[in-house]
């Protein structure tokens, strides 16, 4: 591999950052929204991604190393779990979906099963407390929790 691979990835990331930022600019806001609004974080991410892609384009690694086959498999599995997480958030709710996502990520990185389950649940509850109680931001309860009367 040569410097060209970093530049190609930099251009692709820059195009993605532009699309992501453009999409974020078109987010609809409701009348009752927080002072920052829903556009700030996606626009911040798009700006950061754009700046980092410029770094790849103009200062590529002279000898980049590409991931091994095993690492590519992990990358694909992680991507698939994040897509599944996005689709499961509304039906299962934050607590169940996040716990399952963290367990899946732990197993992808070859973590032991029971510590993965316990730590994922504890961390998810801590995140839930941070967002719901400390920051007063609501998270999806999910249809599952509503069906059993907890949502």
């Amino acid at each position: 591999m040569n410097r060209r691979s970093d530049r190609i990835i930099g251009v692709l990331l820059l195009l993605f950052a532009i699309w992501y930022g453009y999409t974020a600019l078109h987010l609809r806001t409701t009348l009752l929204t927080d002072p920052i609004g829903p556009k700030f974080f996606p626009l911040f991410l798009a700006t950061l991604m754009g700046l980092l892609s410029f770094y790849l384009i103009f200062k590529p690694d002279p000898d980049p190393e590409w991931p091994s086959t095993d690492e590519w498999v992990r990358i694909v599995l992680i991507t698939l779990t994040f897509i599944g997480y996005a689709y499961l958030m509304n039906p299962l709710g934050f607590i169940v979906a996040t716990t399952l996502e963290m367990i899946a990520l732990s197993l992808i990185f070859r973590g032991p099963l029971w510590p993965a389950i316990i730590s994922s649940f504890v961390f998810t509850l801590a995140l839930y407390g941070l967002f719901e109680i400390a920051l007063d931001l609501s998270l999806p309860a999910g249809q599952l929790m509503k069906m059993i009367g907890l949502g």
Side-chain angles (χ1 to χ4, degrees):
M1 290 291 147
N2 57 21
R3 294 174 188 242
R4 192 175 332 148
S5 62
D6 276 3
R7 287 191 172 120
I8 291 169
I9 290 173
V11 169
L12 292 175
L13 281 175
L14 180 60
L15 292 173
F16 181 74
I18 291 168
W19 169 82
Y20 190 71
Y22 176 79
T23 303
L25 284 173
H26 290 86
L27 286 174
R28 291 189 206 140
T29 59
T30 60
L31 183 62
L32 300 172
T33 185
D34 60 276
I36 294 175
K39 296 179 184 183
F40 173 76
F41 189 67
L43 287 174
F44 175 74
L45 287 179
T47 303
L48 186 62
M49 192 181 335
L51 291 173
L52 292 174
S53 64
F54 279 126
Y55 184 81
L56 279 175
I57 293 168
F58 295 113
K59 293 267 301 174
D61 187 351
D63 189 27
E65 290 183 33
W66 281 82
S68 66
T69 304
D70 183 47
E71 290 167 330
W72 277 114
V73 169
R74 277 193 201 169
I75 290 168
V76 169
L77 286 174
I78 290 167
T79 303
L80 291 174
T81 64
F82 281 134
I83 292 169
Y85 177 64
Y87 280 103
L88 292 175
M89 182 67 76
N90 280 332
L92 298 182
F94 177 82
I95 293 175
V96 175
T98 304
T99 301
L100 291 175
E101 174 65 17
M102 293 185 68
I103 292 169
L105 291 173
S106 297
L107 296 178
I108 288 171
F109 285 102
R110 297 183 181 99
L113 178 63
W114 285 107
I117 292 171
I118 294 166
S119 61
S120 296
F121 184 66
V122 169
F123 186 73
T124 299
L125 289 179
L127 277 177
Y128 185 81
L130 173 69
F131 281 98
E132 283 281 344
I133 298 166
L135 298 174
D136 197 27
L137 297 171
S138 62
L139 296 169
Q143 300 302 320
L144 178 67
M145 293 298 205
K146 288 178 184 172
M147 285 176 23
I148 60 175
L150 296 174

